[in-house]
Amino acid sequence: MPNLSCSVYNCTHNDSKLCNRHTIDVSGGATKENTCCSSFIESSGTSNCSGSGSPETNIACKAHDCSYNEDCSCHADHVDVCSCGSACNCYETECHTYSKR
């Protein structure tokens, strides 16, 4: 299970750069910029999610051409999810760890 660091601060699942979901979905591929965290939900300022963030997160990966993707599961040691500024939707996030096969 990868260690996940998330700098998408306005995601409702973000808890001090950790994700409070047990599993996230990463979609896209071909380039790092074409990947996204499909589990992103823009925060409204309050969260209805329970639990606290954990560095270990399962990552279901649909970026089939990523070198860390094995049977639709990420096997990188560490994964960084980020955005350029404040994301409004999942397409404004990316898996910064993506590496083309």
Side-chain angles (χ1 to χ4, degrees):
M1 185 178 311
N3 281 331
L4 175 69
S5 175
C6 180
S7 61
V8 185
Y9 296 109
N10 66 321
C11 179
T12 194
H13 306 297
N14 191 310
D15 181 12
S16 302
K17 293 190 80 173
L18 301 176
C19 188
N20 64 15
R21 287 180 54 106
H22 181 67
T23 300
I24 67 165
D25 296 312
V26 171
S27 299
T31 67
K32 184 182 307 184
E33 295 77 18
N34 288 331
T35 61
C36 68
C37 178
S38 302
S39 302
F40 169 84
I41 297 175
E42 186 176 15
S43 175
S44 61
T46 60
S47 176
N48 61 357
C49 295
S50 60
S52 58
S54 170
E56 292 185 340
T57 304
N58 289 312
I59 300 173
C61 183
K62 295 180 183 133
H64 299 292
D65 57 347
C66 180
S67 61
Y68 299 111
N69 185 330
E70 295 178 23
D71 297 321
C72 295
S73 181
C74 181
H75 288 273
D77 291 333
H78 184 86
V79 173
D80 290 311
V81 173
C82 61
S83 68
C84 295
S86 184
C88 295
N89 60 59
C90 70
Y91 301 109
E92 295 176 338
T93 66
E94 74 178 44
C95 177
H96 197 68
T97 306
Y98 170 90
S99 174
K100 189 167 180 73
R101 290 185 206 261

